[in-house]
Amino acid sequence: MSNFIIRKVAVLGAGVMGAQIAAHCASADVPVVLFDLSAKEGKPNAIVDRALAGLKKLDPAPLAAKDRLAFIDAANYGSDLEQLRDCDLIIEAIAEKMEWKLDLYAKVAPHIRPNAIFASNTSGLSINALAEGMPAALRGRFCGIHFFNPPRYMPLVELIATRDTEPAMLDALETWVTSRLGKGIVRAKDTPNFVANRVGVFSILAVMHHTARLGLGFDEVDALTGPRIGRPKSATYRTADVVGLDTLAHVVGTMQATLADDPWHAHFASPEWLQALIAKGALGQKTRAGIFRKEGKQIMVLDLARQDYRPSGAEIAVEVDEILKLRDAKEKFARLAACAHPQAQFLWSIFRDVFHYCAVHLGDIADNARDLDLAMRWGFGWAQGPFETWQAAGWREVAEMVRADIEHGRAMASAPLPAWVFRRDGVHEAAGSYSAADDALKARSALPVYERQLYPEQVMGEAPRSRGETLWENDGVRLWLRPDQDARIGILSFKSKMHAIGDEVLDGLLEAVARAERDLDGVVLWHEAPFAVGANLQQVAAACQAGQFDLLEKTVAKFQQASMAIKHAQVPVVAAVQGMALGGGCEFAMHAAHRVMALESYVGLVEVGVGLIPAGGGSKEFALQAHRLAQRAAGGDVFPYIQTAFQTVAMATVAKSAVEAVQYGFAKPSDDVLFNAHELLYVAIRRARAMAEAGWRPPLVERKVVVAGRNGIATCEMMLANMREGGFISAHDYRVSKAAATALCGGEVDTNARVSEAWILDVERAQFVELLKNEQTQQRIVHMLETGKPLRN
């Protein structure tokens, strides 16, 4: 399997999951054939065609860019099965009915190449039972590959081997899915619902049980089970609506049918109210009504006592909120358990029962505690896995509390905690994580692909990763090395909150680049997401309030100097971008010699949202791009390219993926786009090394840039005038956008005049400072700081 290559993928089933798995593969530049049944009327591929059309409408977008849809071909089982012979990986993603899957396997098996991988995206059916329905020759290359919804955004993929799965094949598939598709892999055992759904659905059932026991409202429970306890904003009942109440009931039904010996089996049933909602077609978000529904702008929630909906808006009790604010996890859990308030009792109960369930079943469902914890993080969006939470709260103390509740009949099941729980002080250690099945610590996977993750996601108690060797730092940045990777490629990391760019960051960056030019071969600009959220607005607002506009102009000049230092450094500066790269963060990335970008990078020049324009060289970079594109075009007219840039800047357009960032001009087609963000630093260091070895030289500072000048500004103004008259923009929006047009067009000069980069920098800086003096811009800045939202004034 050393030459394992996937050139083409087939996905069987164009439903919600199948179509989105196909979309994610296409986004990763892998051609896909998407299959479904032949349509009974019209075109044979009508079912798949509808699914593909639906992909363009989904939000969040399953495609990294809409043009990736062209890499997905429609096919049907009736006439197109021969196309399977060209596919290296075939993923079955049809409905969760064993007989349907086995029938499909019989149809497709004769058309699958002997060396192709065949995998099922089942969410809980037995992989071994599915394998039995396949020809013996294919069983060694068959496995489970369970994506979570939505496949682009949810990190978890569970891989499940059968008794016959070839180990080398599974290793190769794990490597490919990890690096090419950017996923976190958990090797699951062939047990019902595998790891994440087994624990996650039990957690939902526990929430439902204690909601009813304590008489809490659904909105009250969602207030308790969201971000305040490290769970997603959609909490529990809103998540059920999003997933689909029918889907949830189906998974619960699978547990009821297949886990008869589970000590919690009595609780594996959908409550009567859930069955009633499903019976009348209120299935959640997809039917616009479920546990919650929207009436106008009001969110309504089902009230079981009233047998009707009421306005949602329950809150956490003050005394419980005070407990949740505690930083010390041990004190927090002890006080929750001791507090008599129903909300506190509810929280202790749901944690206790999940701890209990995971301890009893660890050996059955997961190889080790790390896999279970990461499965819950990646598959359900929990900030910590259940074992991590337990360990943080005091392993032995919580174990005794759980044991006491079991003995007194307060827990959902009477099964005792396993003996191993009381022999240990936790499950995660520097040496590895505990395996109940093997009664031993298990280290992380040794597959070579994980060597590319210099800072993988870790669980509590693991050995900390190297912080490297600091070369120099100030309050804003740290310049450091990973000598084990490259002793002459520096890593420059911002230390500010959200990596906002203030004076200390600018001073530090300038000094770090100067040191790199003197002592190193290259620099990688990297830190954990976000890449940078732009200028430090707190500093800007304070200077505006003090009337220090001369100081602000000097700061903007320093910002431009920092951008130019990145671009014209005598060593290559590679920007490793992940998460938000907005405003000044986008400008720094645009000036880098090269960009290594995580797919989930959100990049844009968003300054107009606070009444400003790009002035860290961003306007200048767009003007340069337009100049170069015009030079290559037949007519040589620069304005069409400026017009595109103007719309991007004036609308504060944000690329919602690294692929879109290239399309908008924030990055280049030659830049690297990685689907696994944990590989960024590894790849960026090697890219900087390759550029240094190739004799990289910085670009010369442009002296003759053709700009659109007055005519370009006037044309932009005409567009703005129409928008203002139509009520689409305010007078101040007009003023800000005209300033953006002025900077992009090179100022009030003749059309097609030739100016220098320095000239354009002067224009954008002057426009920026004038806007800062405007009271309405200052109001926008203050409003953004206070609310996190833009002000329309």
Side-chain angles (χ1 to χ4, degrees):
M1 299 299 294
S2 58
N3 294 322
F4 177 76
I5 297 172
I6 293 181
R7 295 183 177 88
K8 195 170 189 177
V9 170
V11 178
L12 310 180
V16 173
M17 285 299 292
Q20 292 195 63
I21 292 169
H24 193 60
C25 291
S27 294
D29 297 330
V30 181
V32 185
V33 186
L34 180 59
F35 283 83
D36 212 299
L37 297 167
S38 300
K40 294 179 179 178
E41 297 178 358
K43 295 181 179 180
N45 293 330
I47 294 173
V48 177
D49 289 340
R50 282 196 299 272
L52 295 178
L55 289 174
K56 293 186 285 187
K57 301 173 185 177
L58 288 177
D59 186 25
L63 292 155
K66 288 184 179 179
D67 64 0
R68 289 302 186 271
L69 199 64
F71 291 101
I72 307 176
D73 293 327
N76 67 81
Y77 306 129
S79 59
D80 300 323
L81 289 180
E82 277 300 304
Q83 293 189 43
L84 291 174
R85 297 193 189 279
D86 297 328
C87 299
D88 305 292
L89 171 62
I90 297 141
I91 300 173
E92 170 268 304
I94 69 170
E96 289 289 276
K97 290 186 179 293
M98 179 73 74
E99 62 274 20
W100 291 6
K101 290 179 185 287
L102 294 177
D103 180 62
L104 180 61
Y105 294 1
K107 285 181 182 177
V108 302
H111 305 277
I112 298 175
R113 281 207 320 260
N115 62 342
I117 296 174
F118 188 29
S120 174
N121 183 57
T122 178
S123 60
L125 296 178
S126 169
I127 295 298
N128 279 292
L130 289 171
E132 289 172 6
M134 304 189 67
L138 283 178
R139 291 178 188 171
R141 305 186 65 76
F142 178 72
C143 66
I145 183 169
H146 180 211
F147 289 82
F148 277 66
N149 190 25
R152 172 180 166 184
Y153 300 97
M154 296 304 289
L156 180 62
V157 168
E158 293 173 319
L159 289 183
I160 311 98
T162 71
R163 289 182 290 270
D164 301 313
T165 301
E166 297 170 9
M169 180 276 284
L170 206 62
D171 287 348
L173 183 60
E174 177 169 349
T175 296
W176 187 82
V177 174
T178 297
S179 195
R180 190 63 176 269
L181 299 187
K183 298 304 175 186
I185 301 296
V186 166
R187 295 275 187 105
K189 297 183 178 183
D190 188 18
T191 54
N193 291 346
F194 310 129
V195 181
N197 276 345
R198 180 75 173 269
V199 175
V201 174
F202 172 78
S203 175
I204 293 171
L205 290 171
V207 167
M208 289 179 173
H209 171 76
H210 293 297
T211 300
R213 181 177 69 84
L214 292 162
L216 303 182
F218 296 136
D219 53 340
E220 188 177 8
V221 168
D222 272 10
L224 291 164
T225 59
R228 296 307 305 273
I229 62 168
R231 306 283 169 83
K233 289 182 180 179
S234 55
T236 302
Y237 291 109
R238 180 64 186 142
T239 295
D241 271 352
V242 171
V243 169
L245 302 185
D246 53 339
T247 302
L248 174 62
H250 173 77
V251 177
V252 172
T254 299
M255 294 176 73
Q256 186 178 46
T258 58
L259 295 170
D261 295 332
D262 192 300
W264 284 264
H265 184 264
H267 297 283
F268 297 165
S270 298
E272 288 184 8
W273 61 262
L274 180 60
Q275 297 175 39
L277 286 174
I278 294 170
K280 65 180 183 180
L283 306 180
Q285 184 172 273
K286 58 190 172 186
T287 60
R288 300 188 177 182
I291 300 166
F292 293 89
R293 76 180 186 196
K294 197 170 183 181
E295 294 181 5
K297 294 185 178 180
Q298 177 71 57
I299 302 297
M300 309 293 287
V301 62
L302 181 65
D303 188 314
L304 294 181
R306 300 182 186 185
Q307 290 292 297
D308 198 2
Y309 289 87
R310 60 167 171 78
S312 173
E315 296 181 351
I316 301 174
V318 174
E319 61 190 286
V320 177
D321 196 42
E322 289 301 316
I323 296 173
L324 292 177
K325 289 177 181 177
L326 294 170
R327 291 182 176 272
D328 185 280
K330 292 183 179 181
E331 183 182 359
K332 181 187 300 184
F333 273 82
R335 287 184 58 181
L336 281 175
C339 180
H341 194 286
Q343 290 184 359
Q345 284 302 300
F346 168 82
L347 286 173
W348 162 245
S349 297
I350 64 169
F351 276 111
R352 174 201 64 211
D353 290 329
V354 170
F355 295 160
H356 186 191
Y357 192 81
C358 290
V360 168
H361 287 298
L362 175 59
D364 303 329
I365 67 174
D367 179 66
N368 60 75
R370 178 181 52 252
D371 283 355
L372 192 150
D373 278 347
L374 290 178
M376 296 315 298
R377 284 205 214 165
W378 295 339
F380 277 76
W382 292 10
Q384 284 187 318
F387 285 123
E388 290 180 282
T389 303
W390 182 351
Q391 192 163 323
W395 184 267
R396 289 184 178 274
E397 294 88 343
V398 169
E400 291 299 336
M401 290 161 64
V402 174
R403 175 156 61 182
D405 277 7
I406 295 169
E407 291 174 350
H408 288 87
R410 291 189 287 265
M412 287 173 67
S414 59
L417 283 172
W420 65 260
V421 169
F422 300 99
R423 295 197 303 265
R424 305 194 57 79
D425 290 319
V427 289
H428 302 305
E429 300 179 17
S433 291
Y434 183 69
S435 168
D438 296 331
D439 192 25
L441 293 176
K442 291 286 190 78
R444 281 180 172 261
S445 170
L447 285 178
V449 68
Y450 295 112
E451 295 174 8
R452 297 166 59 87
Q453 299 185 18
L454 303 185
Y455 294 96
E457 191 168 340
Q458 292 190 279
V459 293
M460 165 178 280
E462 277 194 274
R465 298 285 169 150
S466 169
R467 291 196 72 248
E469 175 187 323
T470 300
L471 300 178
W472 176 83
E473 64 183 322
N474 71 346
D475 290 340
V477 307
R478 175 182 177 233
L479 180 64
W480 55 291
L481 289 172
R482 276 291 299 260
D484 58 323
Q485 299 297 314
D486 194 310
R488 290 188 58 80
I489 299 296
I491 304 164
L492 180 59
S493 300
F494 295 175
K495 296 161 60 176
S496 53
K497 183 179 180 181
M498 298 290 285
H499 305 131
I501 304 165
D503 282 327
E504 68 285 357
V505 171
L506 295 173
D507 291 337
L509 188 149
L510 289 166
E511 175 65 21
V513 170
R515 287 172 177 264
E517 289 178 320
R518 186 182 69 223
D519 301 327
L520 300 171
D521 296 336
V523 175
V524 171
L525 183 52
W526 175 87
H527 32 247
E528 298 286 354
F531 180 73
V533 295
N536 187 324
L537 289 180
Q538 292 279 8
Q539 292 181 0
V540 173
C544 285
Q545 191 173 10
Q548 298 174 321
F549 295 105
D550 289 344
L551 175 63
L552 283 168
E553 181 165 12
K554 290 178 182 177
T555 299
V556 179
K558 189 193 297 182
F559 209 126
Q560 293 176 332
Q561 183 186 357
S563 293
M564 294 295 275
I566 290 171
K567 182 172 183 176
H568 298 286
Q570 295 303 302
V571 294
V573 178
V574 174
V577 180
Q578 175 191 3
M580 292 182 291
L582 304 177
C586 176
E587 290 174 300
F588 279 175
M590 290 174 73
H591 282 81
H594 190 87
R595 282 145 297 277
V596 177
M597 306 180 74
L599 175 71
E600 301 308 332
S601 297
Y602 306 95
V603 187
L605 297 172
V606 297
E607 288 85 350
V608 297
V610 288
L612 296 168
I613 67 167
S619 301
K620 178 262 302 178
E621 282 300 295
F622 269 138
L624 282 174
Q625 285 183 27
H627 162 73
R628 292 175 188 133
L629 290 167
Q631 297 303 300
R632 293 198 291 268
D637 184 6
V638 73
F639 183 73
Y641 306 105
I642 283 296
Q643 185 176 12
T644 301
F646 172 68
Q647 290 171 342
T648 299
V649 173
M651 299 297 292
T653 303
V654 174
K656 294 182 179 178
S657 73
V659 177
E660 282 192 357
V662 173
Q663 295 175 347
Y664 285 125
F666 302 129
K668 297 179 180 178
S670 57
D671 291 332
D672 302 306
V673 176
L674 305 183
F675 275 49
N676 197 314
H678 294 298
E679 297 181 353
L680 276 183
L681 183 56
Y682 175 92
V683 173
I685 289 171
R686 279 149 185 79
R687 177 62 72 180
R689 167 53 58 199
M691 294 172 75
E693 294 295 327
W696 180 87
R697 292 291 179 270
L700 296 173
V701 178
E702 293 277 1
R703 298 177 182 176
K704 296 182 178 180
V705 182
V706 177
V707 294
R710 295 188 188 91
N711 286 354
I713 297 169
T715 306
C716 291
E717 276 198 276
M718 284 192 289
M719 290 188 286
L720 293 172
N722 290 334
M723 293 179 72
R724 184 176 60 184
E725 289 174 12
F728 297 107
I729 62 173
S730 67
H732 192 55
D733 290 329
Y734 182 99
R735 188 177 298 110
V736 174
S737 295
K738 182 185 177 184
T742 302
L744 290 165
C745 293
E748 296 285 352
V749 296
D750 292 339
T751 299
N752 294 328
R754 294 177 180 271
V755 302
S756 65
E757 280 191 68
W759 172 273
I760 304 173
L761 288 170
D762 288 345
V763 172
E764 69 176 21
R765 185 173 68 252
Q767 294 294 323
F768 184 93
V769 174
E770 281 304 306
L771 287 171
L772 275 177
K773 295 176 181 177
N774 186 289
E775 184 179 353
Q776 288 173 297
T777 285
Q778 293 173 22
Q779 290 170 354
R780 289 189 178 191
I781 292 171
V782 170
H783 190 269
M784 178 64 74
L785 287 170
E786 291 178 348
T787 69
K789 298 177 181 179
L791 171 68
R792 294 297 304 275
N793 60 350

